[in-house]
Each structure stands twice: as C-alpha cells, then as structure tokens.
Amino acid sequence: MRAVIQRVSEASVTVDGQVVGAIGQGLLVLLGVGHGDSEQTAEKLWSKLARLRIFEDEAGKTNLSLADVGGQLLVVSQFTLYASCKKGNRPSFTDAGTPDEANRLYEWFVNRARADVPVVQTGRFGAYMDVALVNDGPFTIVLDTDQL
C-alpha cells in the first residue's frame, strides 16, 4: 500500500457538487492499494500512520501524533499512486490492485482507523472527486509499505 499523508488545517472531498467528506485539523490520506496487499499490509500502514509524530508541540517541535492533538482523518482512495512512467509518457496503472480488492482493503483501512480516531471521513471509492485542502506547514509524507 502507498499513502500520501498531508497535515491539514482543513480538507474536504466533493463529488458531483456535494461535499461527501470534510475535516478540520488532522490528516488527509491519499491511499493506494497495490497487487498483493492484504489486511496485514493495511494494518502495517495504519500502525505507522497513527503513530507518526508530525504535529507540533508547545515548543514547535514535531512530537505529537494525530491522537495527541485530537486530530481528524480524511481518507481518499487514489489508485494513481501506483502509476508507472517507465515507458513512454502515458502512465501505466497495472501495479494498482483490482477495483474490487482495492475497495475492500480501502474500506478495511477506514474501519481500522475508525477504531482509533473519533472523526474519520472518506471520499467515494471510484468516483471523480474534487479534493480541497489547506496543507499545514506544508507537511507531506509518502509511506510505502514495501519500505516500512
């Protein structure tokens, strides 16, 4: 699995002109599922993400996790994180998981996050989405479970 994690002061997802998910302070997670990913992969990613100390403490040091600051979470499925641009100029997405499996693991990840985070919002899997955010910092981290 791959995730682009952005620390935000606010973020939202709109589908067909309607806001389907919105948060205040917290993390926007763009989540990609690849071939061979499983619940164990999703747990590994969530375990790392939930404990990331990327929020500032009173001294301005990044020592606090999402739970420490009572932050919210917005999770948006994004298969394009598995784009390969090795050949030509048109990205290939053959490394992305199949839609059914990706949706199943996306939902698993969201439900796992809800066990730890009081406010978890989502986009809509497979939909064309407009994502708006105010990146706090800016602070953006890329996690790939192959490298954790």
mmCIF file of all heavy atoms in Angstrom, residues 28-79:
data_model
loop_
_atom_site.group_PDB
_atom_site.id
_atom_site.type_symbol
_atom_site.label_atom_id
_atom_site.label_comp_id
_atom_site.label_asym_id
_atom_site.label_seq_id
_atom_site.Cartn_x
_atom_site.Cartn_y
_atom_site.Cartn_z
ATOM 1 N N LEU A 28 -5.008 14.400 5.871
ATOM 2 C CA LEU A 28 -5.606 13.931 4.624
ATOM 3 C C LEU A 28 -4.712 12.800 4.146
ATOM 4 O O LEU A 28 -3.492 12.979 4.010
ATOM 5 C CB LEU A 28 -5.646 15.044 3.583
ATOM 6 C CG LEU A 28 -5.973 14.605 2.151
ATOM 7 C CD1 LEU A 28 -7.370 13.999 2.057
ATOM 8 C CD2 LEU A 28 -5.815 15.777 1.198
ATOM 9 N N VAL A 29 -5.300 11.628 3.908
ATOM 10 C CA VAL A 29 -4.550 10.468 3.458
ATOM 11 C C VAL A 29 -5.062 10.058 2.086
ATOM 12 O O VAL A 29 -6.227 9.696 1.930
ATOM 13 C CB VAL A 29 -4.692 9.283 4.440
ATOM 14 C CG1 VAL A 29 -3.958 8.056 3.914
ATOM 15 C CG2 VAL A 29 -4.183 9.669 5.814
ATOM 16 N N LEU A 30 -4.188 10.153 1.088
ATOM 17 C CA LEU A 30 -4.474 9.629 -0.241
ATOM 18 C C LEU A 30 -3.932 8.209 -0.227
ATOM 19 O O LEU A 30 -2.731 8.006 -0.018
ATOM 20 C CB LEU A 30 -3.801 10.483 -1.310
ATOM 21 C CG LEU A 30 -4.146 11.975 -1.275
ATOM 22 C CD1 LEU A 30 -3.318 12.729 -2.306
ATOM 23 C CD2 LEU A 30 -5.629 12.204 -1.500
ATOM 24 N N LEU A 31 -4.809 7.224 -0.426
ATOM 25 C CA LEU A 31 -4.466 5.823 -0.194
ATOM 26 C C LEU A 31 -4.530 5.010 -1.479
ATOM 27 O O LEU A 31 -5.567 4.992 -2.153
ATOM 28 C CB LEU A 31 -5.421 5.226 0.839
ATOM 29 C CG LEU A 31 -5.193 3.792 1.245
ATOM 30 C CD1 LEU A 31 -3.886 3.645 2.018
ATOM 31 C CD2 LEU A 31 -6.359 3.300 2.086
ATOM 32 N N GLY A 32 -3.425 4.347 -1.804
ATOM 33 C CA GLY A 32 -3.373 3.469 -2.968
ATOM 34 C C GLY A 32 -3.155 2.028 -2.547
ATOM 35 O O GLY A 32 -2.367 1.749 -1.645
ATOM 36 N N VAL A 33 -3.864 1.122 -3.208
ATOM 37 C CA VAL A 33 -3.750 -0.306 -2.933
ATOM 38 C C VAL A 33 -3.118 -0.973 -4.148
ATOM 39 O O VAL A 33 -3.546 -0.745 -5.278
ATOM 40 C CB VAL A 33 -5.134 -0.921 -2.645
ATOM 41 C CG1 VAL A 33 -5.032 -2.428 -2.460
ATOM 42 C CG2 VAL A 33 -5.772 -0.269 -1.423
ATOM 43 N N GLY A 34 -2.108 -1.787 -3.900
ATOM 44 C CA GLY A 34 -1.423 -2.489 -4.982
ATOM 45 C C GLY A 34 -1.732 -3.969 -4.985
ATOM 46 O O GLY A 34 -2.363 -4.496 -4.050
ATOM 47 N N HIS A 35 -1.292 -4.667 -6.037
ATOM 48 C CA HIS A 35 -1.439 -6.125 -6.110
ATOM 49 C C HIS A 35 -0.710 -6.755 -4.931
ATOM 50 O O HIS A 35 0.380 -6.331 -4.562
ATOM 51 C CB HIS A 35 -0.844 -6.670 -7.413
ATOM 52 C CG HIS A 35 -1.630 -6.312 -8.624
ATOM 53 N ND1 HIS A 35 -2.898 -6.788 -8.855
ATOM 54 C CD2 HIS A 35 -1.339 -5.513 -9.672
ATOM 55 C CE1 HIS A 35 -3.347 -6.305 -9.990
ATOM 56 N NE2 HIS A 35 -2.419 -5.517 -10.508
ATOM 57 N N GLY A 36 -1.317 -7.733 -4.322
ATOM 58 C CA GLY A 36 -0.675 -8.454 -3.231
ATOM 59 C C GLY A 36 -0.874 -7.825 -1.864
ATOM 60 O O GLY A 36 -0.436 -8.397 -0.863
ATOM 61 N N ASP A 37 -1.497 -6.656 -1.792
ATOM 62 C CA ASP A 37 -1.766 -6.058 -0.483
ATOM 63 C C ASP A 37 -2.853 -6.854 0.235
ATOM 64 O O ASP A 37 -3.684 -7.522 -0.392
ATOM 65 C CB ASP A 37 -2.181 -4.593 -0.631
ATOM 66 C CG ASP A 37 -1.008 -3.689 -0.983
ATOM 67 O OD1 ASP A 37 0.147 -4.068 -0.699
ATOM 68 O OD2 ASP A 37 -1.246 -2.600 -1.541
ATOM 69 N N SER A 38 -2.832 -6.773 1.558
ATOM 70 C CA SER A 38 -3.748 -7.567 2.385
ATOM 71 C C SER A 38 -4.117 -6.776 3.634
ATOM 72 O O SER A 38 -3.650 -5.652 3.826
ATOM 73 C CB SER A 38 -3.052 -8.864 2.801
ATOM 74 O OG SER A 38 -1.936 -8.552 3.632
ATOM 75 N N GLU A 39 -4.908 -7.397 4.495
ATOM 76 C CA GLU A 39 -5.235 -6.773 5.770
ATOM 77 C C GLU A 39 -3.970 -6.529 6.596
ATOM 78 O O GLU A 39 -3.865 -5.521 7.282
ATOM 79 C CB GLU A 39 -6.221 -7.639 6.578
ATOM 80 C CG GLU A 39 -7.604 -7.688 6.010
ATOM 81 C CD GLU A 39 -7.782 -8.808 4.982
ATOM 82 O OE1 GLU A 39 -6.776 -9.472 4.616
ATOM 83 O OE2 GLU A 39 -8.923 -9.000 4.531
ATOM 84 N N GLN A 40 -3.022 -7.445 6.502
ATOM 85 C CA GLN A 40 -1.761 -7.269 7.238
ATOM 86 C C GLN A 40 -1.004 -6.048 6.722
ATOM 87 O O GLN A 40 -0.407 -5.304 7.511
ATOM 88 C CB GLN A 40 -0.877 -8.525 7.131
ATOM 89 C CG GLN A 40 -1.420 -9.728 7.859
ATOM 90 C CD GLN A 40 -2.390 -10.556 7.001
ATOM 91 O OE1 GLN A 40 -2.762 -10.174 5.892
ATOM 92 N NE2 GLN A 40 -2.815 -11.688 7.534
ATOM 93 N N THR A 41 -1.036 -5.844 5.417
ATOM 94 C CA THR A 41 -0.394 -4.667 4.824
ATOM 95 C C THR A 41 -1.078 -3.404 5.313
ATOM 96 O O THR A 41 -0.420 -2.432 5.690
ATOM 97 C CB THR A 41 -0.464 -4.728 3.281
ATOM 98 O OG1 THR A 41 -0.038 -6.001 2.833
ATOM 99 C CG2 THR A 41 0.395 -3.655 2.647
ATOM 100 N N ALA A 42 -2.410 -3.423 5.311
ATOM 101 C CA ALA A 42 -3.183 -2.258 5.756
ATOM 102 C C ALA A 42 -2.921 -1.967 7.233
ATOM 103 O O ALA A 42 -2.788 -0.808 7.623
ATOM 104 C CB ALA A 42 -4.670 -2.486 5.498
ATOM 105 N N GLU A 43 -2.823 -3.007 8.042
ATOM 106 C CA GLU A 43 -2.531 -2.827 9.468
ATOM 107 C C GLU A 43 -1.142 -2.228 9.666
ATOM 108 O O GLU A 43 -0.947 -1.345 10.496
ATOM 109 C CB GLU A 43 -2.647 -4.150 10.219
ATOM 110 C CG GLU A 43 -2.330 -4.046 11.698
ATOM 111 C CD GLU A 43 -3.287 -3.151 12.483
ATOM 112 O OE1 GLU A 43 -4.491 -3.125 12.162
ATOM 113 O OE2 GLU A 43 -2.817 -2.463 13.420
ATOM 114 N N LYS A 44 -0.192 -2.697 8.895
ATOM 115 C CA LYS A 44 1.175 -2.170 8.970
ATOM 116 C C LYS A 44 1.189 -0.676 8.652
ATOM 117 O O LYS A 44 1.822 0.121 9.356
ATOM 118 C CB LYS A 44 2.059 -2.941 7.983
ATOM 119 C CG LYS A 44 3.507 -2.566 7.973
ATOM 120 C CD LYS A 44 4.237 -3.461 6.953
ATOM 121 C CE LYS A 44 5.710 -3.250 6.956
ATOM 122 N NZ LYS A 44 6.393 -4.122 5.978
ATOM 123 N N LEU A 45 0.475 -0.295 7.596
ATOM 124 C CA LEU A 45 0.411 1.111 7.213
ATOM 125 C C LEU A 45 -0.295 1.931 8.284
ATOM 126 O O LEU A 45 0.185 2.989 8.687
ATOM 127 C CB LEU A 45 -0.292 1.268 5.866
ATOM 128 C CG LEU A 45 -0.429 2.700 5.352
ATOM 129 C CD1 LEU A 45 0.942 3.336 5.128
ATOM 130 C CD2 LEU A 45 -1.249 2.715 4.060
ATOM 131 N N TRP A 46 -1.444 1.445 8.757
ATOM 132 C CA TRP A 46 -2.181 2.193 9.773
ATOM 133 C C TRP A 46 -1.350 2.338 11.047
ATOM 134 O O TRP A 46 -1.327 3.411 11.653
ATOM 135 C CB TRP A 46 -3.530 1.551 10.101
ATOM 136 C CG TRP A 46 -4.152 2.259 11.257
ATOM 137 C CD1 TRP A 46 -4.360 1.785 12.511
ATOM 138 C CD2 TRP A 46 -4.585 3.630 11.281
ATOM 139 N NE1 TRP A 46 -4.893 2.764 13.318
ATOM 140 C CE2 TRP A 46 -5.039 3.901 12.583
ATOM 141 C CE3 TRP A 46 -4.620 4.649 10.331
ATOM 142 C CZ2 TRP A 46 -5.534 5.157 12.951
ATOM 143 C CZ3 TRP A 46 -5.110 5.891 10.700
ATOM 144 C CH2 TRP A 46 -5.560 6.136 11.993
ATOM 145 N N SER A 47 -0.692 1.285 11.456
ATOM 146 C CA SER A 47 0.114 1.325 12.674
ATOM 147 C C SER A 47 1.176 2.420 12.597
ATOM 148 O O SER A 47 1.403 3.157 13.560
ATOM 149 C CB SER A 47 0.749 -0.045 12.906
ATOM 150 O OG SER A 47 1.465 -0.057 14.104
ATOM 151 N N LYS A 48 1.820 2.544 11.455
ATOM 152 C CA LYS A 48 2.837 3.589 11.278
ATOM 153 C C LYS A 48 2.195 4.971 11.227
ATOM 154 O O LYS A 48 2.619 5.898 11.908
ATOM 155 C CB LYS A 48 3.647 3.318 10.004
ATOM 156 C CG LYS A 48 4.682 4.383 9.683
ATOM 157 C CD LYS A 48 5.735 4.537 10.757
ATOM 158 C CE LYS A 48 6.815 3.504 10.623
ATOM 159 N NZ LYS A 48 7.941 3.756 11.541
ATOM 160 N N LEU A 49 1.148 5.097 10.422
ATOM 161 C CA LEU A 49 0.495 6.386 10.227
ATOM 162 C C LEU A 49 -0.081 6.927 11.540
ATOM 163 O O LEU A 49 0.078 8.110 11.859
ATOM 164 C CB LEU A 49 -0.621 6.217 9.190
ATOM 165 C CG LEU A 49 -1.293 7.443 8.642
ATOM 166 C CD1 LEU A 49 -1.869 7.136 7.275
ATOM 167 C CD2 LEU A 49 -2.370 7.960 9.546
ATOM 168 N N ALA A 50 -0.731 6.080 12.298
ATOM 169 C CA ALA A 50 -1.388 6.511 13.540
ATOM 170 C C ALA A 50 -0.389 7.036 14.567
ATOM 171 O O ALA A 50 -0.741 7.872 15.403
ATOM 172 C CB ALA A 50 -2.186 5.357 14.137
ATOM 173 N N ARG A 51 0.837 6.586 14.478
ATOM 174 C CA ARG A 51 1.838 6.967 15.471
ATOM 175 C C ARG A 51 2.819 8.039 14.986
ATOM 176 O O ARG A 51 3.694 8.455 15.737
ATOM 177 C CB ARG A 51 2.596 5.720 15.916
ATOM 178 C CG ARG A 51 1.728 4.804 16.762
ATOM 179 C CD ARG A 51 2.354 3.429 16.966
ATOM 180 N NE ARG A 51 1.502 2.545 17.728
ATOM 181 C CZ ARG A 51 0.399 1.951 17.279
ATOM 182 N NH1 ARG A 51 -0.012 2.159 16.054
ATOM 183 N NH2 ARG A 51 -0.308 1.157 18.047
ATOM 184 N N LEU A 52 2.674 8.446 13.737
ATOM 185 C CA LEU A 52 3.571 9.479 13.215
ATOM 186 C C LEU A 52 3.478 10.736 14.077
ATOM 187 O O LEU A 52 2.388 11.272 14.297
ATOM 188 C CB LEU A 52 3.204 9.843 11.777
ATOM 189 C CG LEU A 52 3.664 8.914 10.678
ATOM 190 C CD1 LEU A 52 3.145 9.418 9.332
ATOM 191 C CD2 LEU A 52 5.168 8.778 10.642
ATOM 192 N N ARG A 53 4.612 11.201 14.507
ATOM 193 C CA ARG A 53 4.655 12.424 15.321
ATOM 194 C C ARG A 53 4.959 13.602 14.392
ATOM 195 O O ARG A 53 6.105 14.011 14.260
ATOM 196 C CB ARG A 53 5.684 12.278 16.433
ATOM 197 C CG ARG A 53 5.313 11.176 17.409
ATOM 198 C CD ARG A 53 6.251 11.072 18.573
ATOM 199 N NE ARG A 53 7.644 10.987 18.129
ATOM 200 C CZ ARG A 53 8.687 11.270 18.902
ATOM 201 N NH1 ARG A 53 8.522 11.657 20.138
ATOM 202 N NH2 ARG A 53 9.907 11.158 18.431
ATOM 203 N N ILE A 54 3.910 14.115 13.770
ATOM 204 C CA ILE A 54 4.083 15.177 12.773
ATOM 205 C C ILE A 54 3.309 16.446 13.117
ATOM 206 O O ILE A 54 3.208 17.343 12.297
ATOM 207 C CB ILE A 54 3.745 14.690 11.350
ATOM 208 C CG1 ILE A 54 2.312 14.220 11.238
ATOM 209 C CG2 ILE A 54 4.705 13.577 10.941
ATOM 210 C CD1 ILE A 54 1.902 13.870 9.815
ATOM 211 N N PHE A 55 2.781 16.498 14.341
ATOM 212 C CA PHE A 55 2.121 17.719 14.807
ATOM 213 C C PHE A 55 3.015 18.389 15.838
ATOM 214 O O PHE A 55 3.710 17.710 16.609
ATOM 215 C CB PHE A 55 0.752 17.399 15.418
ATOM 216 C CG PHE A 55 -0.245 16.925 14.404
ATOM 217 C CD1 PHE A 55 -0.375 15.576 14.118
ATOM 218 C CD2 PHE A 55 -1.043 17.838 13.717
ATOM 219 C CE1 PHE A 55 -1.284 15.132 13.182
ATOM 220 C CE2 PHE A 55 -1.955 17.405 12.771
ATOM 221 C CZ PHE A 55 -2.074 16.044 12.496
ATOM 222 N N GLU A 56 2.995 19.695 15.841
ATOM 223 C CA GLU A 56 3.894 20.452 16.711
ATOM 224 C C GLU A 56 3.407 20.497 18.155
ATOM 225 O O GLU A 56 2.207 20.642 18.415
ATOM 226 C CB GLU A 56 4.043 21.876 16.170
ATOM 227 C CG GLU A 56 4.759 21.904 14.834
ATOM 228 C CD GLU A 56 4.870 23.305 14.256
ATOM 229 O OE1 GLU A 56 4.339 24.263 14.850
ATOM 230 O OE2 GLU A 56 5.490 23.433 13.189
ATOM 231 N N ASP A 57 4.372 20.402 19.067
ATOM 232 C CA ASP A 57 4.073 20.585 20.485
ATOM 233 C C ASP A 57 4.195 22.068 20.826
ATOM 234 O O ASP A 57 4.407 22.909 19.940
ATOM 235 C CB ASP A 57 4.979 19.713 21.356
ATOM 236 C CG ASP A 57 6.461 20.053 21.224
ATOM 237 O OD1 ASP A 57 6.806 21.141 20.703
ATOM 238 O OD2 ASP A 57 7.291 19.218 21.653
ATOM 239 N N GLU A 58 4.102 22.402 22.114
ATOM 240 C CA GLU A 58 4.152 23.806 22.536
ATOM 241 C C GLU A 58 5.496 24.466 22.242
ATOM 242 O O GLU A 58 5.591 25.692 22.150
ATOM 243 C CB GLU A 58 3.817 23.937 24.034
ATOM 244 C CG GLU A 58 4.768 23.217 24.966
ATOM 245 C CD GLU A 58 4.554 21.715 25.085
ATOM 246 O OE1 GLU A 58 3.493 21.207 24.673
ATOM 247 O OE2 GLU A 58 5.480 21.041 25.585
ATOM 248 N N ALA A 59 6.534 23.669 22.041
ATOM 249 C CA ALA A 59 7.861 24.205 21.714
ATOM 250 C C ALA A 59 8.093 24.296 20.203
ATOM 251 O O ALA A 59 9.176 24.663 19.768
ATOM 252 C CB ALA A 59 8.945 23.340 22.363
ATOM 253 N N GLY A 60 7.076 23.917 19.405
ATOM 254 C CA GLY A 60 7.218 23.979 17.959
ATOM 255 C C GLY A 60 7.905 22.772 17.349
ATOM 256 O O GLY A 60 8.218 22.766 16.160
ATOM 257 N N LYS A 61 8.143 21.742 18.146
ATOM 258 C CA LYS A 61 8.781 20.506 17.655
ATOM 259 C C LYS A 61 7.696 19.526 17.208
ATOM 260 O O LYS A 61 6.640 19.437 17.818
ATOM 261 C CB LYS A 61 9.612 19.844 18.767
ATOM 262 C CG LYS A 61 10.704 20.726 19.323
ATOM 263 C CD LYS A 61 11.855 20.808 18.368
ATOM 264 C CE LYS A 61 12.990 21.593 19.025
ATOM 265 N NZ LYS A 61 14.076 21.808 18.111
ATOM 266 N N THR A 62 7.978 18.764 16.163
ATOM 267 C CA THR A 62 7.008 17.765 15.707
ATOM 268 C C THR A 62 7.126 16.524 16.587
ATOM 269 O O THR A 62 7.811 15.556 16.240
ATOM 270 C CB THR A 62 7.225 17.421 14.223
ATOM 271 O OG1 THR A 62 8.593 17.081 14.026
ATOM 272 C CG2 THR A 62 6.842 18.562 13.322
ATOM 273 N N ASN A 63 6.438 16.567 17.713
ATOM 274 C CA ASN A 63 6.480 15.497 18.707
ATOM 275 C C ASN A 63 5.125 14.864 18.981
ATOM 276 O O ASN A 63 5.038 13.958 19.800
ATOM 277 C CB ASN A 63 7.029 16.024 20.038
ATOM 278 C CG ASN A 63 8.532 16.165 20.019
ATOM 279 O OD1 ASN A 63 9.231 15.368 19.398
ATOM 280 N ND2 ASN A 63 9.030 17.186 20.682
ATOM 281 N N LEU A 64 4.075 15.330 18.315
ATOM 282 C CA LEU A 64 2.731 14.863 18.646
ATOM 283 C C LEU A 64 2.109 14.080 17.493
ATOM 284 O O LEU A 64 2.290 14.418 16.324
ATOM 285 C CB LEU A 64 1.841 16.055 19.012
ATOM 286 C CG LEU A 64 2.338 16.938 20.161
ATOM 287 C CD1 LEU A 64 1.412 18.126 20.362
ATOM 288 C CD2 LEU A 64 2.479 16.129 21.445
ATOM 289 N N SER A 65 1.346 13.058 17.853
ATOM 290 C CA SER A 65 0.643 12.234 16.866
ATOM 291 C C SER A 65 -0.777 12.778 16.653
ATOM 292 O O SER A 65 -1.230 13.694 17.345
ATOM 293 C CB SER A 65 0.556 10.792 17.360
ATOM 294 O OG SER A 65 -0.340 10.717 18.463
ATOM 295 N N LEU A 66 -1.474 12.169 15.725
ATOM 296 C CA LEU A 66 -2.865 12.531 15.449
ATOM 297 C C LEU A 66 -3.710 12.423 16.712
ATOM 298 O O LEU A 66 -4.497 13.320 17.023
ATOM 299 C CB LEU A 66 -3.423 11.613 14.346
ATOM 300 C CG LEU A 66 -4.819 11.909 13.826
ATOM 301 C CD1 LEU A 66 -4.857 13.251 13.098
ATOM 302 C CD2 LEU A 66 -5.282 10.794 12.894
ATOM 303 N N ALA A 67 -3.543 11.343 17.461
ATOM 304 C CA ALA A 67 -4.302 11.158 18.705
ATOM 305 C C ALA A 67 -3.940 12.217 19.735
ATOM 306 O O ALA A 67 -4.817 12.716 20.455
ATOM 307 C CB ALA A 67 -4.056 9.761 19.271
ATOM 308 N N ASP A 68 -2.669 12.586 19.810
ATOM 309 C CA ASP A 68 -2.224 13.577 20.796
ATOM 310 C C ASP A 68 -2.903 14.927 20.613
ATOM 311 O O ASP A 68 -3.119 15.642 21.580
ATOM 312 C CB ASP A 68 -0.707 13.772 20.718
ATOM 313 C CG ASP A 68 0.079 12.549 21.148
ATOM 314 O OD1 ASP A 68 -0.423 11.749 21.962
ATOM 315 O OD2 ASP A 68 1.214 12.387 20.642
ATOM 316 N N VAL A 69 -3.212 15.272 19.369
ATOM 317 C CA VAL A 69 -3.823 16.582 19.097
ATOM 318 C C VAL A 69 -5.328 16.484 18.880
ATOM 319 O O VAL A 69 -5.983 17.481 18.597
ATOM 320 C CB VAL A 69 -3.165 17.282 17.877
ATOM 321 C CG1 VAL A 69 -1.689 17.541 18.139
ATOM 322 C CG2 VAL A 69 -3.374 16.506 16.591
ATOM 323 N N GLY A 70 -5.892 15.268 19.016
ATOM 324 C CA GLY A 70 -7.321 15.088 18.783
ATOM 325 C C GLY A 70 -7.691 15.373 17.340
ATOM 326 O O GLY A 70 -8.779 15.883 17.055
ATOM 327 N N GLY A 71 -6.788 15.043 16.425
ATOM 328 C CA GLY A 71 -6.989 15.344 15.019
ATOM 329 C C GLY A 71 -7.987 14.440 14.330
ATOM 330 O O GLY A 71 -8.343 13.363 14.825
ATOM 331 N N GLN A 72 -8.444 14.903 13.191
ATOM 332 C CA GLN A 72 -9.405 14.177 12.374
ATOM 333 C C GLN A 72 -8.690 13.579 11.168
ATOM 334 O O GLN A 72 -7.551 13.938 10.874
ATOM 335 C CB GLN A 72 -10.522 15.118 11.940
ATOM 336 C CG GLN A 72 -11.249 15.739 13.123
ATOM 337 C CD GLN A 72 -12.296 16.763 12.717
ATOM 338 O OE1 GLN A 72 -12.388 17.173 11.571
ATOM 339 N NE2 GLN A 72 -13.104 17.180 13.685
ATOM 340 N N LEU A 73 -9.387 12.680 10.471
ATOM 341 C CA LEU A 73 -8.780 11.954 9.363
ATOM 342 C C LEU A 73 -9.731 11.947 8.174
ATOM 343 O O LEU A 73 -10.927 11.680 8.327
ATOM 344 C CB LEU A 73 -8.498 10.519 9.814
ATOM 345 C CG LEU A 73 -7.693 9.613 8.911
ATOM 346 C CD1 LEU A 73 -6.262 10.104 8.776
ATOM 347 C CD2 LEU A 73 -7.693 8.191 9.481
ATOM 348 N N LEU A 74 -9.187 12.244 6.996
ATOM 349 C CA LEU A 74 -9.928 12.149 5.741
ATOM 350 C C LEU A 74 -9.148 11.195 4.844
ATOM 351 O O LEU A 74 -7.987 11.450 4.523
ATOM 352 C CB LEU A 74 -10.071 13.515 5.075
ATOM 353 C CG LEU A 74 -10.749 13.562 3.704
ATOM 354 C CD1 LEU A 74 -12.162 12.998 3.750
ATOM 355 C CD2 LEU A 74 -10.762 15.002 3.184
ATOM 356 N N VAL A 75 -9.769 10.071 4.458
ATOM 357 C CA VAL A 75 -9.099 9.053 3.659
ATOM 358 C C VAL A 75 -9.737 9.029 2.271
ATOM 359 O O VAL A 75 -10.950 8.845 2.140
ATOM 360 C CB VAL A 75 -9.201 7.654 4.306
ATOM 361 C CG1 VAL A 75 -8.405 6.632 3.503
ATOM 362 C CG2 VAL A 75 -8.725 7.694 5.753
ATOM 363 N N VAL A 76 -8.893 9.207 1.246
ATOM 364 C CA VAL A 76 -9.355 9.255 -0.134
ATOM 365 C C VAL A 76 -8.610 8.190 -0.938
ATOM 366 O O VAL A 76 -7.384 8.174 -0.952
ATOM 367 C CB VAL A 76 -9.103 10.659 -0.745
ATOM 368 C CG1 VAL A 76 -9.513 10.695 -2.206
ATOM 369 C CG2 VAL A 76 -9.827 11.733 0.060
ATOM 370 N N SER A 77 -9.354 7.321 -1.591
ATOM 371 C CA SER A 77 -8.754 6.290 -2.417
ATOM 372 C C SER A 77 -8.115 6.924 -3.644
ATOM 373 O O SER A 77 -8.712 7.788 -4.293
ATOM 374 C CB SER A 77 -9.827 5.293 -2.858
ATOM 375 O OG SER A 77 -9.283 4.359 -3.752
ATOM 376 N N GLN A 78 -6.878 6.489 -3.974
ATOM 377 C CA GLN A 78 -6.194 7.056 -5.133
ATOM 378 C C GLN A 78 -5.291 6.017 -5.778
ATOM 379 O O GLN A 78 -4.118 5.880 -5.435
ATOM 380 C CB GLN A 78 -5.392 8.298 -4.735
ATOM 381 C CG GLN A 78 -4.880 9.023 -5.952
ATOM 382 C CD GLN A 78 -4.488 10.451 -5.664
ATOM 383 O OE1 GLN A 78 -4.536 10.924 -4.547
ATOM 384 N NE2 GLN A 78 -4.098 11.139 -6.701
ATOM 385 N N PHE A 79 -5.840 5.295 -6.761
ATOM 386 C CA PHE A 79 -5.081 4.256 -7.444
ATOM 387 C C PHE A 79 -3.903 4.831 -8.219
ATOM 388 O O PHE A 79 -2.936 4.120 -8.501
ATOM 389 C CB PHE A 79 -5.986 3.426 -8.371
ATOM 390 C CG PHE A 79 -6.353 4.098 -9.662
ATOM 391 C CD1 PHE A 79 -5.602 3.887 -10.804
ATOM 392 C CD2 PHE A 79 -7.446 4.954 -9.731
ATOM 393 C CE1 PHE A 79 -5.939 4.507 -11.995
ATOM 394 C CE2 PHE A 79 -7.785 5.568 -10.910
ATOM 395 C CZ PHE A 79 -7.037 5.351 -12.051
#
